[in-house]
Amino acid sequence: MDSTIKIFVSALEPSSNLHLNTLYSRLPKNCLLKGVCNNDIGNPIFLPSDFSIMGFSDVAKKILFFKHAIKILSEEAIKCDRILLMDSSSFNLRLAKIIKKKNPNIPIMYYILPQVWAWKSWRAKEVEMFCDKLACIWPFELIYYKNKAKYVGHPLLDIYENDENLYINDSNIFVFMPGSRKSEIKTLMKEYQILATLLLKENKNYELRIIIPEKFRNTDFVKMYGDLSKFNIFYNTKLGLENAKFAFVCAGTATLEASLMKIPFVLVYRAKFIDYCIARLFVKLNFVGLANIIYQAMLQEKGKDIKKAGLGFDYLHEELLQGDCNAKKMLESYIKFDYNRYFNGVNKLHKYLKHGSADNVAQWLLE
């Protein structure tokens, strides 16, 4: 008798696949993954790179592909024993709705839930309607759901589980993280090159590191990054940030990674003007850095007068956005950085998130 447990997974983002890889290592050997995932995790029908888009303006170009993919994936999903959706709510909620319509008996777990705390809070009802198990990775998410959600821990604490302090005060290492989207990279590298020159002028013995996404490892990335002769190249975030004195981090999950590693940093981000305006129209938050948003949620639960995560004024790290995202202000942020305040904040943040999520998710998925 075939004892294989077929798990359909939809993980469109590189970060989702990073956490999926950890989760897969905690599942029994008889579990088989198929759907949207990396080749080294399961048997993909589509690869995450097939769904890659750059800003709101690129979405329209792929609408027909998304419709085609949902049709194929929903047909394959109902042949499986379990469904696991990760992040990418615009796509995955549509997929969940179709799967439930075709077979209402297949249990659907949503891991790394839609950010209803940032915008479209009404989506929480939709998530509960079409999904059976809601695996929250932020403690404050629980208030948005009635009875299907529980806090499972945060996936980054499966990587930084030992409360590591990888910061060295007298280090000469500076880290540059220009993001994972080509448009972001091209924009930030212009300022990073200027900043690199300024730092080396101050001290020629500084080590400058740049972290490049793994997906670009075997590509000719000179057109995106330009001359990288000043930098040592890393493809792994943890290794790249280890023992750094300071980092310049593009918006995203990387802000939380740097915080959990206790590496001082400033967030830097400049989007296309139209994309920035659209984002600001829909996402009305005071801060864009994930570490800042979660930090405010923690303060809110401790009684601070914050309407919701992202709408407070106390922050963990500085953010340089749009016109402020330039080499001169990046250097000023490093020079004026308040280390005591930062380290006090990241220690509290680590305790707030408590533990990793992979073991809890693996157990709950198979129940």
Side-chain angles (χ1 to χ4, degrees):
M1 185 176 178
D2 185 9
S3 61
T4 301
I5 301 174
K6 299 175 184 176
I7 301 174
F8 175 87
V9 61
S10 179
L12 278 59
E13 297 288 338
S15 58
S16 299
N17 279 270
L18 173 67
H19 303 318
L20 179 60
N21 193 46
T22 304
L23 172 60
Y24 185 56
S25 69
R26 313 295 170 88
L27 291 170
K29 298 298 182 183
N30 64 331
C31 289
L32 174 66
L33 303 187
K34 65 182 298 187
V36 185
C37 58
N38 287 337
N39 279 312
D40 58 345
I41 302 176
N43 298 326
I45 300 168
F46 293 100
L47 293 172
S49 57
D50 296 329
F51 297 84
S52 178
I53 58 174
M54 289 180 232
F56 291 98
S57 57
D58 198 33
V59 175
K61 301 175 184 178
K62 285 203 169 185
I63 288 178
L64 290 178
F65 167 74
F66 291 151
K67 289 183 178 179
H68 172 69
I70 283 182
K71 182 176 184 297
I72 293 175
L73 292 171
S74 63
E75 291 172 354
E76 292 298 321
I78 60 174
K79 301 175 186 176
C80 296
D81 304 303
R82 303 281 192 281
I83 308 292
L84 176 65
L85 307 178
M86 300 181 67
D87 210 348
S88 307
S89 59
S90 296
F91 184 87
N92 279 334
L93 281 178
R94 288 181 175 87
L95 181 59
K97 183 177 180 179
I98 295 173
I99 292 172
K100 275 298 183 185
K101 186 175 181 180
K102 290 185 175 183
N103 188 341
N105 297 318
I106 297 180
I108 299 179
M109 171 183 278
Y110 210 130
Y111 175 38
I112 309 180
L113 290 159
Q115 295 178 342
V116 297
W117 41 268
W119 67 316
K120 294 184 179 180
S121 58
W122 51 263
R123 287 184 302 170
K125 293 181 180 179
E126 189 177 10
V127 175
E128 283 195 299
M129 184 181 300
F130 299 115
C131 301
D132 305 289
K133 300 175 181 179
L134 310 181
C136 297
I137 64 171
W138 311 112
F140 68 90
E141 284 183 299
L142 293 170
I143 64 173
Y144 292 92
Y145 302 100
K146 293 183 178 179
N147 51 33
K148 294 182 178 180
K150 69 178 179 181
Y151 178 62
V152 294
H154 196 279
L156 283 179
L157 288 182
D158 290 311
I159 301 172
Y160 311 110
E161 56 187 345
N162 296 320
D163 195 19
E164 298 167 290
N165 186 349
L166 299 178
Y167 164 73
I168 296 180
N169 181 47
D170 58 356
S171 170
N172 69 339
I173 298 170
F174 291 82
V175 179
F176 297 75
M177 300 185 69
S180 60
R181 294 181 173 87
K182 293 180 181 179
S183 58
E184 296 172 347
I185 293 168
K186 287 182 179 180
T187 301
L188 274 178
M189 283 309 301
K190 294 176 183 177
E191 299 300 331
Y192 278 175
Q193 292 285 5
I194 297 171
L195 179 59
T197 300
L198 292 173
L199 287 170
L200 291 175
K201 186 177 181 180
E202 177 184 308
N203 188 333
K204 64 180 181 180
N205 292 319
Y206 281 158
E207 177 189 345
L208 309 184
R209 296 176 179 177
I210 188 165
I211 299 178
I212 293 176
E214 180 65 36
K215 65 182 180 180
F216 295 138
R217 180 189 284 268
N218 297 316
T219 63
D220 180 8
F221 43 70
V222 175
K223 289 183 180 180
M224 280 188 289
Y225 292 89
D227 178 17
L228 295 180
S229 59
K230 299 184 185 74
F231 304 90
N232 291 328
I233 298 174
F234 285 76
Y235 296 96
N236 179 281
T237 300
K238 185 175 182 180
L239 292 177
L241 284 170
E242 188 171 349
N243 299 332
K245 182 178 185 65
F246 201 83
F248 305 93
V249 181
C250 183
T253 307
T255 61
L256 188 60
E257 291 183 85
S259 299
L260 294 177
M261 291 178 68
K262 299 181 174 65
I263 302 297
F265 71 97
V266 60
L267 179 151
V268 294
Y269 188 73
R270 187 189 298 167
K272 292 180 181 178
F273 180 72
I274 183 64
D275 289 343
Y276 182 79
C277 289
I278 293 173
R280 278 304 196 192
L281 180 64
F282 290 106
V283 184
K284 299 183 183 301
L285 299 177
N286 293 341
F287 295 95
V288 302
L290 187 58
N292 272 340
I293 293 170
I294 305 312
Y295 180 69
Q296 290 179 354
M298 176 192 74
L299 295 178
Q300 182 186 32
E301 290 192 3
K302 293 184 177 181
K304 287 291 183 74
D305 185 21
I306 298 173
K307 293 180 180 179
K308 69 173 185 177
L311 283 181
F313 293 97
D314 196 5
Y315 59 88
L316 186 66
H317 60 84
E318 188 178 1
E319 299 184 355
L320 300 177
L321 308 178
Q322 297 304 98
D324 289 332
C325 179
N326 60 68
K328 181 182 178 181
K329 292 205 171 184
M330 292 179 200
L331 185 60
E332 288 176 357
S333 294
Y334 157 62
I335 294 172
K336 298 177 181 178
F337 195 80
D338 187 339
Y339 291 89
N340 289 332
R341 181 178 179 278
Y342 173 74
F343 289 130
N344 182 53
V346 294
N347 285 331
K348 291 178 180 178
L349 184 65
H350 203 294
K351 292 177 181 177
Y352 174 68
L353 296 176
K354 298 179 182 177
H355 50 73
S357 58
D359 287 331
N360 289 331
V361 173
Q363 180 180 349
W364 198 19
L365 178 63
L366 298 179
E367 284 179 358

